C-alpha cells in the first residue's frame, strides 16, 4: 500500500480521556466493505498497524464482508481520503457514538428490580444470582469460579434438578469481553428461562447447568464506570492496561491472530494464562471438564455460531458431528424473528484467532460440543445494542441453545 497514505493514518494522535469517563464525542462508526482481495488486504494492513485511536469493531475477513471501525474525529478525513483513493465502499453507521452511549446510560436508570429491559452492573447480576439460591433451594448453588486482577470474584451458578444429571452438564459463559453487554444479558435471560419456563422443563431438568454471566468482572465493571468501549482485562502492562482474555487460554497460545502491542485490543498477554481471571477459571473448568458435554461462550456481535478452531482452517476432531448441530441451532434461532446466523469455524468466520476458551476446552479437554456465539447485531448498533433487543435476542438464542442441548444428547 501507499506508504505516504499509511503514514497519514498512523501518525494521527488522539486523546479521549479526561478526568471522568472516557468520552467519544464525534467518534464515528464507519462501515467499509471491501470488494476485492486488494481492499481486504489493505484493511488488514491498517488493522495490523494498530493506528492510534482506531478501534476495529470487526476485522477484515473476506470480499464483501463489511468491516466496522470506530474512528476519532480528527482521523475521519484521513480515513475518507484513503477509502476514496482506493475506492472502498464506505458508509457512516453512527455519526457521533457518544450520543448513543449517553442514550444507553440514561436507560440504565430504573426500578431497581432485576429484569431484561435494561443492562445491569456486575454487582446487580451477582446479587440476582445470590437471590436465586434462596428462591430455588437445593437446585441453584452459587459458585466462585475464579477471581480477577482487582480481586473481584467470578461468580456463577450451578443449576441441578437431579443428581442423575451430573454427567450431562452444559456450560454457558459470557462477557469475557467487557463491552459485549448483550452477551451477559442473554445469558442471565436464559438462566431465568431454565428456572421458570414451563415449556422447556424437559431439557432444563434433565441437565446440569453451569452459568457464568460475567467472567471478566474488572473489564465489565470498567465499561460502566469509566469506558463503555473497554474489551480486555485490567491488568497493567507498561503504560497500557489489559490483555485480551479470549486470546489468553493455553492452547496454541499466541500462534496467530493476536496483537503484540499491550495497548492493542487483541494483546494475548505475556504468556498463556497470564490473566488471573483465565488461570483461575480454567482451573475450575478443568475440575468439572469430564462432566461437561456442551460448552458455550457468548460474545457479540456479528450473528455467527463459531466452532473450533482458530489456528487452522482444517476441520478437526468431531467437526462432522458438531457442524450439523450448529446449522440446526442457527435454523432454530431464525424461526422466531428470521434473525440470520452464519455457522463456521473461528478461522473461516472471523479469521485466525488463537488462545480462545472454546479452542482450549476442545483441544485440551475434548468437550464434545463447543460453540462460541457472536450474538446480535450485524453492525447497525454493534456493541451498543439497544436494551429493548435483550428479550428478543434472549428468546431466539434460547431456541438455539435448546436445539444444541437436545442434539448433543444424541452424540
Ligand atoms: Zn467477544
Amino acid at each position: 500500500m501507499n506508504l505516504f497514505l499509511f503514514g497519514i493514518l498512523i501518525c494521527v494522535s488522539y486523546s479521549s480521556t479526561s478526568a471522568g469517563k472516557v468520552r467519544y464525542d464525534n467518534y464515528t462508526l464507519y462501515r467499509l466493505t471491501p470488494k476485492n482481495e486488494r481492499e481486504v488486504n489493505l484493511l488488514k494492513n491498517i488493522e495490523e498497524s494498530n493506528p492510534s485511536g482506531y478501534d476495529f469493531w470487526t476485522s477484515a475477513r473476506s470480499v464483501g464482508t463489511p468491516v466496522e471501525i470506530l474512528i476519532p474525529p480528527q482521523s475521519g478525513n484521513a480515513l475518507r481520503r484513503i477509502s476514496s483513493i482506493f475506492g472502498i465502499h464506505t458508509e457512516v453507521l453512527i455519526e457521533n457514538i457518544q450520543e448513543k452511549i449517553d442514550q444507553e446510560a440514561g436507560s440504565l436508570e430504573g426500578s431497581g428490580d432485576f429484569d431484561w429491559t435494561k443492562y445491569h452492573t456486575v454487582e446487580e447480576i451477582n446479587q440476582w444470582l445470590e437471590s436465586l439460591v434462596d428462591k430455588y433451594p437445593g437446585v441453584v448453588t452459587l459458585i466462585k469460579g475464579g477471581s480477577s486482577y482487582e480481586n473481584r470474584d467470578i461468580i456463577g451458578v450451578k443449576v441441578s434438578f437431579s443428581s442423575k444429571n451430573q454427567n450431562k452438564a452444559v456450560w454457558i459463559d459470557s462477557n469475557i469481553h467487557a463491552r459485549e453487554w448483550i452477551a451477559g444479558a442473554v445469558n442471565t435471560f436464559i438462566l431465568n428461562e431454565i428456572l421458570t419456563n414451563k415449556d422447556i422443563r424437559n431439557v432444563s431438568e434433565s441437565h446440569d447447568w453451569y452459568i457464568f454471566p460475567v467472567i471478566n468482572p474488572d473489564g465489565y465493571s470498567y465499561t460502566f464506570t469509566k469506558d463503555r468501549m473497554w474489551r480486555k482485562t485490567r491488568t497493567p502492562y507498561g503504560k497500557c492496561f489489559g490483555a485480551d482474555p479470549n486470546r489468553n487460554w493455553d492452547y496454541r497460545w499466541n500462534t496467530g491472530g493476536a496483537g503484540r502491542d499491550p495497548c492493542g485490543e487483541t494483546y494475548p498477554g505475556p504468556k498463556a494464562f497470564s490473566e488471573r481471571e483465565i488461570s483461575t477459571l480454567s482451573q475450575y473448568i478443568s475440575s468439572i471438564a469430564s462432566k461437561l458435554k456442551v460448552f458455550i461462550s457468548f460474545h457479540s456481535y456479528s450473528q455467527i455460531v463459531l466452532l473450533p478452531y482458530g489456528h487452522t482452517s482444517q476441520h478437526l476432531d468431531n467437526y462432522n458431528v458438531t457442524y450439523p448441530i450448529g446449522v440446526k441451532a442457527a435454523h432454530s434461532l431464525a424461526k422466531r424473528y428470521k434473525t440470520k446466523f452464519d455457522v463456521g469455524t473461528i478461522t473461516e468466520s472471523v479469521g485466525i484467532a488463537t488462545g480462545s476458551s472454546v479452542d482450549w476446552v476442545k483441544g485440551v479437554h475434548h468437550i464434545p460440543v463447543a460453540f462460541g456465539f457472536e450474538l446480535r447485531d450485524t453492525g447497525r448498533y454493534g456493541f451498543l445494542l439497544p436494551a429493548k433487543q435483550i428479550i428478543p435476542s434472549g428468546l431466539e438464542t434460547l431456541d438455539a441453545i435448546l436445539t444444541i442441548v437436545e442434539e448433543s444428547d444424541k452424540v
Side-chain angles (χ1 to χ4, degrees), residues 177 180 231 299-300 374:
H177 287 145
E180 301 167 1
R231 165 184 166 96
H299 291 254
S300 75
E374 294 284 359

Side-chain angles (χ1 to χ4, degrees), residues 329-392:
H331 186 72
S332 297
L333 189 150
K335 273 187 186 159
R336 198 177 281 264
Y337 304 111
K338 298 192 170 59
T339 312
K340 185 182 175 293
F341 272 56
D342 292 330
V343 184
T345 67
I346 294 168
T347 302
E348 289 165 343
S349 305
V350 298
I352 295 282
T354 55
S356 72
S357 62
V358 290
D359 278 8
W360 181 77
V361 297
K362 190 74 177 177
V364 172
H365 287 298
H366 313 291
I367 289 174
V369 177
F371 290 115
F373 268 66
E374 294 284 359
L375 299 175
R376 289 188 186 193
D377 57 11
T378 54
R380 172 70 187 82
Y381 295 101
F383 302 117
L384 298 170
L385 193 75
K388 64 172 188 275
Q389 292 200 37
I390 295 172
I391 291 173

Side-chain angles (χ1 to χ4, degrees), residues 92-282:
V92 169
L93 290 180
I94 299 174
E95 185 82 46
N96 177 6
I97 207 90
Q98 186 62 44
E99 272 179 17
K100 292 273 176 271
I101 294 172
D102 291 343
Q103 281 167 15
E104 186 184 64
S107 73
L108 296 177
E109 313 297 326
S111 61
D113 292 340
F114 195 88
D115 65 11
W116 290 272
T117 62
K118 61 176 181 174
Y119 293 105
H120 293 280
T121 64
V122 64
E123 291 80 13
E124 289 169 338
I125 292 170
N126 288 347
Q127 208 173 21
W128 180 69
L129 294 178
E130 282 168 29
S131 76
L132 297 176
V133 179
D134 295 333
K135 208 166 173 186
Y136 302 94
V139 173
V140 176
T141 318
L142 204 67
I143 296 168
K144 181 186 162 185
S147 48
S148 73
Y149 177 79
E150 292 173 351
N151 278 322
R152 289 183 177 84
D153 290 339
I154 299 174
I155 300 291
V157 291
K158 178 185 174 188
V159 178
S160 181
F161 292 92
S162 163
S163 57
K164 288 186 201 138
N165 300 336
Q166 61 169 324
N167 291 318
K168 285 170 68 187
V170 179
W171 172 282
I172 311 177
D173 71 61
S174 43
N175 281 119
I176 190 169
H177 287 145
R179 63 188 173 185
E180 301 167 1
W181 285 7
I182 187 61
V186 162
N187 203 1
T188 54
F189 179 88
I190 287 174
L191 168 57
N192 189 54
E193 295 291 301
I194 289 166
L195 291 167
T196 61
N197 185 334
K198 292 189 173 56
D199 297 332
I200 64 168
R201 298 326 312 149
N202 232 355
V203 178
S204 300
E205 296 187 10
S206 59
H207 298 82
D208 278 1
W209 302 83
Y210 293 85
I211 308 274
F212 282 80
V214 181
I215 64 173
N216 174 10
D218 295 352
Y220 186 76
S221 178
Y222 198 73
T223 61
F224 280 78
T225 58
K226 196 78 184 170
D227 182 353
R228 175 64 182 89
M229 290 304 145
W230 194 256
R231 165 184 166 96
K232 303 186 288 178
T233 62
R234 291 294 303 163
T235 317
Y237 289 110
K239 66 180 168 47
C240 288
F241 286 84
D244 183 339
N246 209 36
R247 299 286 185 282
N248 194 241
W249 299 71
D250 193 8
Y251 180 76
R252 307 255 173 180
W253 175 81
N254 201 18
T255 54
R260 287 188 183 84
D261 177 6
C263 304
E265 297 291 358
T266 56
Y267 176 57
K271 58 179 189 197
F273 289 152
S274 61
E275 301 315 285
R276 188 174 169 201
E277 294 79 358
I278 304 309
S279 73
T280 53
L281 189 65
S282 67

